[in-house]
Amino acid sequence: MRMIVSTAHHGYGQRDARSESGNPVNRVMVMALAFLLVCGVMTSPSLAQRKVTFPPAESKPPPPAKPPQKEMRAGEDTGILPDYGPAQRKTQVTAPPPPPNLTVMYKLQYGETLEYVHPDGTVQKFEQWKSYPNDAYYLVVSYTNARLADGNNYQYDVKPLASPGFDPVDIPILFMAGDYEFALSPAEVENLRKFLTGGGTIIFNAARGRDEFSNSVVREMRKVFPQKKFMKLPPDHPVFNARYRIQQLMTLINGTQAMLPPELYSIDIGTRAAAILVPTGMGAAWAGDTYNPAGKHYVGEGAIRLGVNLIAYVLGGTEYGRFLSQDFPIYNGRTRSGDLFRMAQIKYNGSWDDNPAIQNSLLQGLNENTGIGVDYAPYAIGLDDPQLGSFPMVFMTGHYDFSFTPAEIAGLTNYLQRGGVLVASAAAGLKPFDNAFRREIRKAFPNSQLIKLPPTHALFTGGWASLDRIVYTEAARKDNPLLEYPEFYGLFIDDRLAVIYTPYDLMSGVNRESNAYSKGVTNDDAMRIAINLVTYVLSH
């Protein structure tokens, strides 16, 4: 077949020139196309090799899980006769079965092939995702199994982040480590969003403490959750107590060692740390590798303990993660004229919505146990909203630090002085909210203070149910084994109880959230207290 290439529009004749292969081509066109192709290859950013100025991490490969099986070719004679051994007696005790193998973590493959030129001119190409290739292996297979010793044989695997099939029910943890800047593809963003909202957790670690990796994590996670941001985990967060109590870690920064408090950041769903960023490197300690003098590392045993804590924290919160991943009922009805009681949740610049569908849980419990007519429509309102006075009682919760605006302070003061009641509790019983709430209440009422209510107060003894003693969660009793009485504080205005506050978690119990790390009241007693609060407010 002959191919005729016309060049009439360019002033060239219709003469055909044959190449060495015998196919007719236009010599001028071939040269032009070749030139454009070469230029395209040289200038295309997608084909360029990204060079980095920080050397790659190097680590020895992990040992084999078991020695390789000896191969024997067909026809070989070992010279050993088979020995069937002694017969087993019926009363002989057999060895227990091996623990089940549970793959709990995927180390994520992501990024691109990078290039680094060593000082001697040697060019090294390496995969961006590997960092310390066996850091996750040692953390899960060696340290977690030995330190937790809970009867399971935990394993890990690797998987591309862009691939489908990340089910947090099967694999609760994703691990992503690195040293360099990266960007997530749309498929990777979508996979992460589904995994985290489905109850899974991802742990990011800047393998050698490089800020360019941590900054990329913060930027790329905005694509996953545009309305959320990373918050620094407080010292009393359960991740620092899940297995070991960690207050300080040996930290190597630019070759200098110092004992420093651990620094972790999280994007939360509820009070669950769903995306955890550790900006200080742990890979060298886990893998037994060398520490880069220009990096920032957690050193030795401290890094191992923090890694085991991270695994233990996630495994202990899987049920809570599944609770938060469900579809909660949405009330579609309208307020009825005969409804007796309505309430609202205070929204503010903080973690105000930690307990999904909490109003439905509380109002349903109130109606079923007391017969009081309730308005099931959920309301969220700001303290500076003119409609705040429409609610006889409002409640608020949260687990991080916050500050009210001057308008919110004024709105809160006016609301309480006009007869409203504020009920507040620290979500998960964390200290940052406790400190912030006490501080902000002092701003609204500088001449008053929160006073601890005795167990004999009418709030506990004269309401719907008598509650002289209550049961607190295991997490709360771990900090204070003597807890048995209601720990509530009140602020009085003209002898009227206007603010009712507990530094322990009340709403998780009302919502029956199965949060293993909640420092608060157990489910049944939480609902009893909540009903007492409402009936007390209505009768006073």
Side-chain angles (χ1 to χ4, degrees):
M1 177 182 296
R2 296 184 62 197
M3 179 179 294
I4 306 297
V5 180
S6 174
T7 58
H9 294 289
H10 299 280
Y12 300 106
Q14 297 291 330
R15 183 175 59 89
D16 295 332
R18 293 184 178 273
S19 66
E20 293 179 359
S21 61
N23 293 328
V25 294
N26 185 285
R27 193 180 306 275
V28 176
M29 288 289 290
V30 170
M31 294 176 64
L33 290 172
F35 176 78
L36 291 175
L37 182 61
V38 171
C39 291
V41 171
M42 294 176 63
T43 60
S44 174
S46 62
L47 299 177
Q49 189 81 56
R50 181 154 73 101
K51 297 182 179 180
V52 294
T53 58
F54 194 71
E58 295 182 358
S59 179
K60 57 184 178 182
K66 58 182 180 180
Q69 184 177 359
K70 183 180 179 181
E71 294 182 357
M72 186 172 66
R73 297 180 181 179
E76 280 189 2
D77 186 1
T78 62
I80 301 177
L81 295 176
D83 182 7
Y84 297 101
Q88 180 174 316
R89 299 188 306 271
K90 293 183 178 180
T91 58
Q92 185 172 338
V93 179
T94 61
N101 292 330
L102 296 177
T103 301
V104 296
M105 174 190 283
Y106 280 144
K107 183 172 182 179
L108 296 176
Q109 298 171 319
Y110 72 96
E112 55 191 312
T113 301
L114 304 179
E115 182 178 296
Y116 175 75
V117 180
H118 291 269
D120 62 358
T122 303
V123 177
Q124 181 179 354
K125 296 182 180 181
F126 58 96
E127 298 299 318
Q128 182 175 2
W129 66 272
K130 285 185 177 179
S131 182
Y132 294 99
N134 39 337
D135 49 1
Y137 170 86
Y138 282 114
L139 173 63
V140 176
V141 178
S142 297
Y143 299 122
T144 298
N145 283 323
R147 305 296 180 91
L148 295 187
D150 58 2
N152 294 303
N153 185 25
Y154 296 118
Q155 301 292 319
Y156 99 111
D157 205 345
V158 297
K159 189 173 184 178
L161 178 54
S163 61
F166 289 99
D167 188 347
V169 174
D170 297 329
I171 306 293
I173 310 170
L174 302 181
F175 177 68
M176 185 169 171
D179 296 296
Y180 312 97
E181 183 181 6
F182 68 91
L184 298 178
S185 68
E188 292 172 329
V189 168
E190 185 61 23
N191 276 351
L192 265 185
R193 184 182 297 112
K194 289 181 178 179
F195 178 79
L196 299 179
T197 56
T201 302
I202 184 170
I203 300 170
F204 297 99
N205 181 225
R208 289 174 289 175
R210 300 283 293 174
D211 288 341
E212 57 184 294
F213 176 84
S214 298
N215 292 337
S216 295
V217 171
V218 174
R219 182 192 66 235
E220 296 304 301
M221 285 303 294
R222 292 196 196 104
K223 300 177 182 177
V224 180
F225 296 120
Q227 305 302 321
K228 293 180 178 290
K229 61 181 180 180
F230 278 97
M231 301 292 291
K232 187 175 181 179
L233 296 184
D236 65 331
H237 194 278
V239 77
F240 300 122
N241 301 280
R243 174 60 180 86
Y244 300 99
R245 189 175 293 272
I246 297 176
Q247 296 178 325
Q248 290 188 322
L249 294 172
M250 182 62 73
T251 309
L252 180 67
I253 304 177
N254 295 327
T256 301
Q257 290 191 13
M259 291 296 292
L260 299 173
E263 182 182 1
L264 276 69
Y265 297 84
S266 168
I267 289 178
D268 292 354
I269 298 176
T271 60
R272 181 181 73 88
I276 302 173
L277 169 60
V278 188
T280 303
M282 299 184 288
W286 295 348
D289 215 319
T290 56
Y291 301 100
N292 189 289
K296 182 171 64 173
H297 303 267
Y298 287 137
V299 177
E301 175 67 16
I304 295 171
R305 290 189 175 193
L306 180 57
V308 173
N309 268 24
L310 287 167
I311 302 296
Y313 169 79
V314 177
L315 295 180
T318 53
E319 187 175 353
Y320 179 47
R322 286 194 288 270
F323 170 86
L324 294 173
S325 68
Q326 64 182 305
D327 293 327
F328 294 95
I330 300 176
Y331 179 75
N332 295 318
R334 293 184 297 178
T335 301
R336 301 173 302 175
S337 57
D339 290 336
L340 177 63
F341 179 74
R342 62 203 301 250
M343 61 183 295
Q345 184 172 5
I346 296 301
K347 60 180 180 180
Y348 60 96
N349 186 23
S351 53
W352 65 271
D353 56 345
D354 287 332
N355 307 102
I358 179 60
Q359 293 185 67
N360 182 78
S361 299
L362 176 55
L363 293 169
Q364 183 175 353
L366 177 65
N367 179 259
E368 291 179 352
N369 287 280
T370 68
I372 295 175
V374 298
D375 179 359
Y376 280 106
Y379 297 97
I381 193 168
L383 290 172
D384 54 354
D385 193 313
Q387 299 300 316
L388 182 64
S390 303
F391 303 94
M393 186 183 92
V394 294
F395 73 95
M396 68 177 294
T397 187
H399 63 299
Y400 285 125
D401 189 12
F402 69 92
S403 294
F404 289 143
T405 65
E408 289 173 327
I409 291 291
L412 174 61
T413 304
N414 181 64
Y415 171 76
L416 296 179
Q417 288 177 338
R418 293 171 64 88
V421 176
L422 169 65
V423 176
S425 70
L430 292 179
K431 203 66 178 175
F433 180 88
D434 178 45
N435 293 334
F437 183 81
R438 295 175 185 272
R439 182 191 66 228
E440 298 305 302
I441 286 296
R442 283 195 299 269
K443 292 180 182 178
F445 294 93
N447 298 322
S448 301
Q449 60 180 338
L450 290 167
I451 302 172
K452 188 173 182 178
L453 301 176
T456 56
H457 191 275
L459 181 66
F460 311 116
T461 61
W464 172 73
S466 179
L467 291 166
D468 56 341
R469 283 178 171 84
I470 60 175
V471 180
Y472 282 85
T473 62
E474 182 179 350
R477 288 183 281 110
K478 183 179 180 180
D479 285 348
N480 184 0
L482 301 179
L483 276 176
E484 59 177 339
Y485 298 104
E487 294 280 331
F488 281 77
Y489 296 79
L491 185 143
F492 292 84
I493 299 177
D494 298 330
D495 296 328
R496 181 182 62 86
L497 188 55
V499 176
I500 305 170
Y501 171 66
T502 175
Y504 291 96
D505 191 348
L506 179 66
M507 297 306 171
S508 292
V510 172
N511 222 19
R512 297 185 175 273
E513 293 185 2
S514 301
N515 184 352
Y517 301 115
S518 169
K519 300 175 184 179
V521 186
T522 54
N523 295 351
D524 290 341
D525 280 351
M527 180 60 76
R528 293 188 184 103
I529 289 178
I531 295 175
N532 266 23
L533 292 175
V534 174
T535 54
Y536 178 88
V537 170
L538 291 178
S539 61
H540 289 72

